[in-house]
Amino acid sequence: MPDDAHRSAAVSTRRMTFAQGLLEAQAIALEQDPSVYLMGLGAPDPKGIFGTTSGLLQRFGPERVQDMPLSENAMTGVAVGSAITGMRPILTHQRVDFALVAMEQMVNQAAKWFFMFGGQVPVPLTIRMIVGRGWGQGPQHSQSLQAWFAHVPGLKVVMPATPADAKGLLLSAIEDDNPVICLEHRWLYGLADEVPEGPYRVPLGKARLMHGGGGKAEVTLVGLSYMSLEALRAAEILAEQGIEAEVIDLRSVRPLDEATILDSVARTGRLVVADTAHVRFGAGAEVVSLVVEQAFDKLKAAPVRIGLPDFPTPTSKALSDSYYPRAPHLVAAALKLLGRPVDPELFAVPEGRNLDQPDSSFTGPF
Amino acid sequence: MTSASAASAGSAAALANGPDPELLWRLYRLMLYVRLVEEKIVALYPEQQMRCPVHLSIGQEAPAAGVAAALRPGDQAMSGHRSHGHYLAMDADLDGMFAEIYGKAPGCARGRGGSMHLIDRAKGFLGAVPIVGSTIPIAAGAAFTSKLRGDGKVTVIYLGDGAAETGVFHETLNFAALKKLPLLFVCENNLYSVYSPMEVRQPLGRPIAGIARAHGVATWEGDGNDAVAVWQMASEAVEACRAGHGPAFLELATYRWREHCGPNFDNDIGYRTVEEYETWRARDPLARHKALLQDRLGADDAAFAALEGELQARIDAAVAKAKAAAFPVDTLSPEDCYA
């Protein structure tokens, strides 16, 4: 059965966007714990990190909702230093790409502090970063580097794909006593759905079976972040062709929910993994390795990875439209695994649909 | 409050007032303690039981002693790879340090860190790590906590001349000045980054303290081999930090006698001259301070011998304990990375 247990009947929900879900998680964290503070370039500015920090300055004051100098590495160190002395900082970057100068602090210090000092000193730190896409974001505003972070023991990495998970995973990240990287896909920000009220939490390291699970499914589609939505769309297209798919939204890259993946593949025998990042050396490879190493006998065909090609994101729409895989790519992969023909019409772009936007409401510029 | 004039005026004032005998003895005790601990490491390192890199501060003990003596309980410090003196001067756990260097279970980092990862939070030593410059913003984060909570603590960040070339050094000066953090930068300028001299790394004629001044940070520059001068400068700087005037910066001229990493001398490999070494050797902070104690307080050989005997006994006991201690049980797992 689809894992909708988190939408328990006892908790009332409201419809809100992914961005509002993130905002609500931070507001709750700031409200319930005086040691929480939020810091980021533009966090208190009129645009409020695409609405995810709007109003927090007015509500919690300038000490708890801070702008910061354009010094990502030092400010990550400052966040680490305050985290080891009793604070619980949330650091936010408007793009993953901008935070790369802070890899030293994230990898050498935040990730290792608890381990390297003998388990004496936790680092309760959340680092939010946005994965850009479309409207010409280009080579340095659209990288999806979850594999880098997930490779480092000591970090946790989450990638919510729904408004409810945006709220629930971010609140769990803030409350966790370890450094957690929260990677937020820009194309999800406008997505609206039901979100539980109150201090709603989604456990870190727990994937979600989004679709299927009735026992007749012939293929498992594992998605990450925005690609989980493409996987859902792919499942719908497959259903039209009489093929049932299970869709798993990973939600966390580290810890990886191995059981949910292995259970599904045990039922279906076929696996397609769709990542928002480059295919090579990516999170998708980790999922495939897991299945090949631990459930080889369950596989009816070789698993398939879907993701970005092995070159940086081009800016021009003419170049980037083909850069990003879509639901049809997952469908085609599933059909091939099942030995079914692939109709090239599958990839046709509907009239009026622009591939550099999640929908017509998204007009950039950023 | 800036530059050399303030520094010399400060130490002159202290000397004029006659720093009290207790303080003079405390400075000597701290320096001798650091020296004896590190000489013990020199003596034992060839046994090959200390299986980790060691960066000794022999010859540059005065900054650790003078700064620590200017702090009060509850204050905090962080450091880099050459941190033994900074740790010991905070009265941090000697048994834990030797056990850590020997890789033993009771080590201050449980054997996971070694000499470059000292920590004793009970004594305010928040940690040292070997990535040059990396603890500078972390210390600023600790000072930021103090600022947010108004707890009155001052945090010291020890750094070397090489760290002044890192990006986070400049970034942290900017942030610390912006937020008026109670953060004291103590730059021990020992002229070399490993074997690379200052003239291949930094522009001539620009003191490191000048970078701090450019950020509007109050600075003191002075003799890092004069414990009383260091104490005087640090006392003024700590007072300014505590009063809410923002960060302060000390640039202290000093010199490491031994090799960058390891227990030996390395004057023979050609990156510095024996003459230069001898010049600095003649400015031994311990010998100078000992002479001061003899001249001003009439300290006699018996007093020095008694102190040395006491410290040596403590050190020998710590070494014996560390050698006798068990190694950590090798049961590490990924779970050890997470709180």
Side-chain angles (χ1 to χ4, degrees):
Chain A
M1 292 296 293
D3 174 20
D4 277 350
H6 68 290
R7 295 178 196 187
S8 124
V11 181
S12 58
T13 64
R14 298 114 326 128
R15 195 169 176 79
M16 63 168 62
T17 65
F18 186 94
Q20 287 167 329
L22 294 170
L23 173 64
E24 195 162 273
Q26 294 168 104
I28 290 168
L30 285 159
E31 180 70 43
Q32 72 183 10
D33 183 350
S35 68
V36 172
Y37 73 93
L38 167 65
M39 182 165 66
L41 267 167
D45 79 12
K47 297 212 168 170
I49 321 279
F50 310 104
T52 63
T53 58
S54 298
L56 296 177
L57 169 69
Q58 292 73 19
R59 188 166 159 197
F60 297 102
E63 282 209 334
R64 305 197 58 206
V65 181
Q66 306 215 5
D67 217 313
M68 68 177 213
L70 222 156
S71 308
E72 287 86 353
N73 198 24
M75 295 315 298
T76 305
V78 167
V80 171
S82 66
I84 62 169
T85 49
M87 305 303 287
R88 192 171 284 274
I90 308 165
L91 182 60
T92 176
H93 302 288
Q94 304 217 13
R95 285 291 183 271
V96 177
D97 318 60
F98 307 165
L100 295 191
V101 294
M103 285 306 275
E104 195 281 308
Q105 284 292 332
M106 289 190 271
V107 174
N108 280 329
Q109 311 306 347
K112 293 179 178 60
W113 205 268
F114 182 77
F115 177 88
M116 75 186 170
F117 287 116
Q120 301 171 75
V121 192
V123 184
L125 164 65
T126 300
I127 305 179
R128 297 179 47 207
M129 297 176 215
I130 296 169
V131 178
R133 175 173 169 181
W135 209 272
Q137 297 302 294
Q140 297 182 346
H141 280 57
S142 65
Q143 291 176 86
S144 196
L145 299 173
Q146 53 270 24
W148 289 27
F149 299 108
H151 188 68
V152 180
L155 297 180
K156 295 184 180 182
V157 183
V158 298
M159 295 188 82
T162 66
D165 283 353
K167 175 177 175 178
L169 282 172
L170 182 54
L171 185 57
S172 293
I174 297 165
E175 292 177 350
D176 198 88
D177 282 337
N178 301 285
V180 183
I181 308 293
C182 182
L183 292 167
E184 307 159 7
H185 199 286
R186 180 70 184 85
W187 277 18
L188 294 168
Y189 271 43
L191 182 73
D193 196 4
E194 293 297 312
V195 174
E197 284 183 342
Y200 170 68
R201 301 171 181 89
V202 170
L204 308 181
K206 186 83 186 77
R208 174 168 165 246
L209 186 58
M210 288 181 105
H211 176 83
K216 289 185 294 180
E218 297 177 86
V219 61
T220 297
L221 308 178
V222 173
L224 192 49
S225 182
Y226 187 77
M227 292 310 285
S228 294
L229 301 191
E230 295 286 3
L232 267 184
R233 290 178 194 130
E236 287 167 15
I237 299 169
L238 287 166
E240 288 164 10
Q241 303 188 27
I243 297 165
E244 195 168 309
E246 292 192 6
V247 177
I248 293 171
D249 173 21
L250 274 187
R251 300 202 285 198
S252 294
V253 187
R254 179 190 272 270
L256 188 64
D257 184 352
E258 302 184 354
T260 297
I261 298 164
L262 292 170
D263 287 352
S264 177
V265 173
R267 289 189 290 268
T268 65
R270 298 179 187 85
L271 172 66
V272 177
V273 188
D275 193 359
T276 56
H278 300 292
V279 169
R280 287 176 192 272
F281 305 98
E286 189 62 30
V287 172
V288 169
S289 301
L290 168 78
V291 169
V292 168
E293 287 176 349
Q294 298 196 28
F296 189 70
D297 59 330
K298 303 288 197 309
L299 286 170
K300 296 169 182 161
V304 177
R305 290 176 290 163
I306 300 224
L308 305 181
D310 233 9
F311 51 88
T313 318
T315 295
S316 166
K317 186 177 180 312
L319 300 171
S320 66
D321 277 358
S322 66
Y323 186 75
Y324 288 98
R326 296 174 285 127
H329 296 85
L330 278 78
V331 172
L335 290 172
K336 281 181 191 164
L337 287 183
L338 288 156
R340 305 268 291 259
V342 178
D343 180 355
E345 276 304 300
L346 183 66
F347 293 93
V349 179
E351 188 75 17
R353 170 90 169 85
N354 279 306
L355 293 181
D356 65 344
Q357 301 167 290
D359 56 65
S360 58
S361 71
F362 180 91
T363 56
F366 182 48
Chain B
M1 213 200 295
T2 59
S3 138
S5 59
S8 55
S11 58
L15 291 173
N17 294 338
D20 68 55
E22 194 183 321
L23 172 73
L24 289 177
W25 271 109
R26 183 171 176 216
L27 291 170
Y28 185 74
R29 164 187 277 271
L30 286 172
M31 288 193 290
L32 181 63
Y33 177 46
V34 173
R35 175 74 57 92
L36 292 175
V37 167
E38 294 202 314
E39 292 288 4
K40 180 64 73 179
I41 293 170
V42 167
L44 297 175
Y45 204 78
E47 293 180 351
Q48 299 193 8
Q49 292 176 27
M50 296 176 174
R51 303 182 83 90
C52 67
V54 289
H55 299 79
L56 304 180
S57 60
I58 294 171
Q60 53 183 77
E61 296 92 345
V67 170
L71 299 177
R72 70 184 192 198
D75 286 339
Q76 304 172 135
M78 298 192 83
S79 183
H81 56 287
R82 200 176 306 283
S83 66
H84 297 167
H86 310 142
Y87 172 90
L88 293 169
M90 295 289 283
D91 195 30
D93 182 26
L94 180 65
D95 291 351
M97 174 178 159
F98 269 116
E100 188 61 33
I101 294 175
Y102 277 106
K104 297 297 182 75
C108 60
R110 311 291 178 261
R112 298 185 200 168
S115 157
M116 300 190 287
H117 293 269
L118 300 180
I119 186 169
D120 185 347
R121 288 175 61 100
K123 293 297 170 74
F125 197 80
L126 298 178
V129 300
I131 305 293
V132 172
S134 197
T135 38
I136 299 174
I138 298 175
F144 192 43
T145 296
S146 292
K147 178 83 178 177
L148 291 171
R149 295 193 157 167
D151 64 15
K153 293 178 180 179
V154 169
T155 299
V156 175
I157 177 62
Y158 291 99
L159 58 134
D161 44 286
E165 294 146 30
T166 67
V168 285
F169 171 72
H170 298 258
E171 293 181 354
T172 305
L173 277 168
N174 177 68
F175 180 72
L178 172 75
K179 297 288 183 182
K180 290 193 180 301
L181 298 184
L183 179 64
L184 173 59
F185 294 81
V186 178
C187 177
E188 297 174 323
N189 183 347
N190 70 10
L191 303 175
Y192 293 88
S193 172
V194 190
Y195 304 126
S196 305
M198 283 291 275
E199 58 263 31
V200 302
R201 301 183 287 117
Q202 297 186 27
L204 260 171
R206 188 225 53 203
I208 294 170
I211 302 169
R213 283 195 288 279
H215 284 280
V217 172
T219 64
W220 285 257
E221 291 168 75
D223 184 348
N225 280 13
D226 178 343
V228 174
V230 172
W231 168 80
Q232 181 65 38
M233 290 184 274
S235 297
E236 293 171 9
V238 166
E239 195 182 325
C241 286
R242 207 169 329 263
H245 299 154
F249 192 99
L250 268 57
E251 182 180 351
L252 305 171
T254 188
Y255 198 77
R256 88 176 132 72
W257 292 3
R258 290 178 182 263
E259 61 191 334
H260 160 69
C261 180
N264 302 309
F265 290 99
D266 65 356
N267 298 321
D268 56 318
I269 67 172
Y271 74 103
R272 64 186 192 185
T273 63
V274 173
E275 293 70 31
E276 180 184 276
Y277 165 78
E278 291 297 348
T279 305
W280 282 96
R281 183 74 179 71
R283 298 179 201 161
D284 178 3
L286 261 175
R288 286 166 70 182
H289 202 78
K290 185 174 183 179
L292 184 72
L293 292 175
Q294 289 166 327
D295 293 348
R296 295 174 70 90
L297 304 180
D300 59 15
D301 289 351
F304 290 114
L307 176 61
E308 184 164 343
E310 175 205 327
L311 294 174
Q312 199 66 65
R314 185 174 162 192
I315 293 163
D316 289 343
V319 168
K321 259 171 105 167
K323 285 188 162 186
F327 282 105
V329 182
D330 185 10
T331 56
L332 287 179
S333 80
E335 282 162 24
D336 290 302
C337 299
Y338 299 97

